Structures are given as structure tokens and as C-alpha cells.
Amino acid sequence: MTEDSERAVRAAIEGEWRLLDPEVRASPERVLELLDPDFTEIGASGRRWDVESILTVTSGGSISPDSPVEVSEMSGAVVAPGVVHLTYFADNRGRRVWRSSLWRLTQAGWRMYFHQGTLTG
């Protein structure tokens, strides 16, 4: 991986960790700094989310500071110039989900463009 690719992956991983932080999630302004205006998500429930609907969930305390999401196996790869694909395993109080997200570089910095969760057994 080139130095530029490593920097891009690190930036996406840092953004992903910020979005998993209960304090960040509780602040719509901070979440908006990390989401692309065209953001969409297909949740582990099968529901489709956009920026507005995801802000409702995150600001409602979807992750408790008392039981943070346990993350493992996070890795990333540059799939095109200015686009990083991350994958990781998340366990939120026994709800185990493989997660995948696409981050893209914008004039405002790295923003999550797409996210998907798939429940595991």
C-alpha cells in the first residue's frame, strides 16, 4: 500500500471510530461533519436510512457510553482515488453485525458515503 493509500485508510478508520463514539453520535452537528450529504445506509434490519433518518437514531442515544460497541477486525482498502472501503465486525450488547462502509474524500474532508450492516449468527 502506498503512503497516500495508508493515509486515506487511516482517515476513514478515524472517521468510523468517531461515528461509533457515543458523544459524537449524540451531537447531530458532529455526525453531519462525518456524513456525506448523499449518505445512505442499509441497516442490519434491512431498513434503508438517509442522513435525516440516521440523525434521528444517533441523537437518540443508540449507543450507550456504559456499553460501547466492541469492534474487531477493522480493515480498509482504497478502491478508487478518493474512495476507501472499510469492513469490521461489531458487537453491540450481543447484537453481532459485519459492517461495511464507503468513505469518500470531499472538499470538506473524508465523509461516509455508504454503510451496510449484516447480522451474523
Side-chain angles (χ1 to χ4, degrees):
M1 192 179 313
T2 69
E3 190 174 320
D4 286 344
S5 293
E6 287 178 11
R7 272 196 303 272
V9 170
R10 269 196 314 273
I13 288 173
E14 288 170 11
E16 195 80 39
W17 277 109
R18 287 179 58 205
L19 281 171
L20 290 167
D21 181 327
E23 288 184 29
V24 171
R25 292 173 72 87
S27 168
E29 296 80 21
R30 292 173 74 185
V31 171
L32 282 173
E33 291 173 359
L34 297 165
L35 296 182
D36 191 275
D38 295 326
F39 169 82
T40 58
E41 175 176 337
I42 300 171
S45 65
R47 181 176 173 184
R48 185 175 173 162
W49 305 83
D50 59 13
V51 172
E52 185 176 313
S53 60
I54 209 72
L55 285 176
T56 301
V57 171
T58 58
S59 63
S62 59
I63 296 178
S64 168
D66 298 328
S67 59
V69 175
E70 295 177 29
V71 174
S72 61
E73 301 180 47
M74 188 177 288
S75 64
V78 174
V79 294
V83 180
V84 172
H85 178 226
L86 296 181
T87 58
Y88 61 96
F89 183 77
D91 187 324
N92 186 8
R93 296 183 225 151
R95 187 168 190 253
R96 301 163 47 90
V97 179
W98 277 110
R99 301 231 169 242
S100 174
S101 53
L102 289 175
W103 288 77
R104 70 179 177 181
L105 184 58
T106 69
Q107 290 183 343
W110 286 95
R111 302 291 183 258
M112 183 186 283
Y113 175 72
F114 177 79
H115 187 80
Q116 182 167 353
T118 303
L119 287 172
T120 65

